[in-house]
Amino acid sequence: MENKEQVGKKQIALNIVSGKSKHKIGFGAGSIDLNNISPVIIDRGTATIDIGAMHAKSKPERRIRFSTNREDVPNGRQVWIVWVAVDRDESGQYYAGATASEMWIDEEARRGWKILADHVNRMDAALKRKFMLDELGAEEKKLLKDLLVSHNEEWWDRSPEELKQALDV
């Protein structure tokens, strides 16, 4: 979640400029910088930062065939991906957005359920500095709060009250 600049390399980001654009405004213009967002996986009583989730390759997602039909995973366990965005102001960095996305995974059957569009929309909401954590249970909220505080307590202290109230259990 740290924002480290690479000297001498151009940052590559997902380009959202329409192909119809007639303006040539340079490399990286009109792009989303995904360097300031990190996925947190909450699974089996632990919360961990798992960058693999950016490409649907987090530890719980590996070797799982996903369906959009929840009934395909009757024996699954609930796993959460929480998208956490970090921003900076004059006082320093802070947790600026956080949204939770649900999925169910059955490792024995190697089957899972998730709605990819929901995961993408929630990641976008976190990038837009929104907090959507109401669906998390008390245990998941405590795990997420503990992870964010232990990762960087100063960032937590500078974070908006909305986040602190959302994770206050």
Side-chain angles (χ1 to χ4, degrees), residues 90-119:
E90 62 278 350
S91 60
Q93 288 185 297
Y94 62 96
Y95 300 117
T99 58
S101 300
E102 175 184 26
M103 63 182 161
W104 288 80
I105 294 180
D106 181 351
E107 287 177 339
E108 280 188 37
R110 296 176 64 189
R111 299 283 296 160
W113 170 87
K114 69 178 175 181
I115 305 296
L116 184 58
D118 180 60
H119 287 235

Side-chain angles (χ1 to χ4, degrees), residues 7 11-12 40 69 71 99 109 118 122 127 133 141 167:
V7 178
Q11 293 290 329
I12 296 177
V40 173
N69 184 1
E71 289 77 34
T99 58
D118 180 60
R122 297 288 177 122
L127 283 167
L133 302 169
K141 288 180 180 182
L167 296 179

